[in-house]
Amino acid sequence: QVRLVQSGGGLVQAGGSLSLSCAASRGIVLADDMGWYRQAPGQQRELVASIIRSGVTEYAASVKGRFIISRDTTKNTVRLQMNSLKPEDTAVYYCYYNDDGRLEWGQGTHIVVSS
C-alpha cells in the first residue's frame, strides 16, 4: 500500500495560479499512472490530469492549456500547476496512485477560486 501526502492549494482569485504537490511513499515510476481528480460539491469526482509510467500526460478538456502535471522521480512527487484559474475549478482535489488497477488516494485539498 502506498501513502500519498498532498500539499499546496488554498484560495485564489479568478485568473490566479496555485500548485499542488503529492508525495508518495513508494517509487512513482512503479505506478501505472498517477494524477489528480477533483470533486466539486454535489458533483462526481472527475479526472483532471494524469501522467503515465512513460511520462506521457493527459488532461481533461476543461483544464487543458491551463494546468500542467509534472513529476520528480527523485523525490517521488507529482505536481499540478494550475494557471488561469476559474471559479468552476473550485473543488476538492485528490492525488491518486494507480497500482495495477488499484487506486490509492491522497487526503484531498480544497481549492477555492473566487470571482
Side-chain angles (χ1 to χ4, degrees), residues 76-97:
N76 288 327
T77 300
V78 174
R79 186 169 179 265
L80 185 67
Q81 177 65 38
M82 302 176 286
N83 302 316
S84 302
L85 282 160
K86 305 175 181 179
E88 50 264 43
D89 294 318
T90 295
V92 178
Y93 285 69
Y94 297 91
C95 171
Y96 78 91
Y97 183 111

Side-chain angles (χ1 to χ4, degrees), residues 24-37:
S25 61
R26 185 193 300 170
I28 62 174
V29 294
L30 299 176
D32 295 299
D33 57 275
M34 286 187 70
W36 300 87
Y37 276 77

Side-chain angles (χ1 to χ4, degrees), residues 51-64:
I51 183 165
I52 66 175
R53 188 176 293 163
S54 66
V56 173
T57 58
E58 292 186 355
Y59 298 91
S62 58
V63 306
K64 204 167 188 178

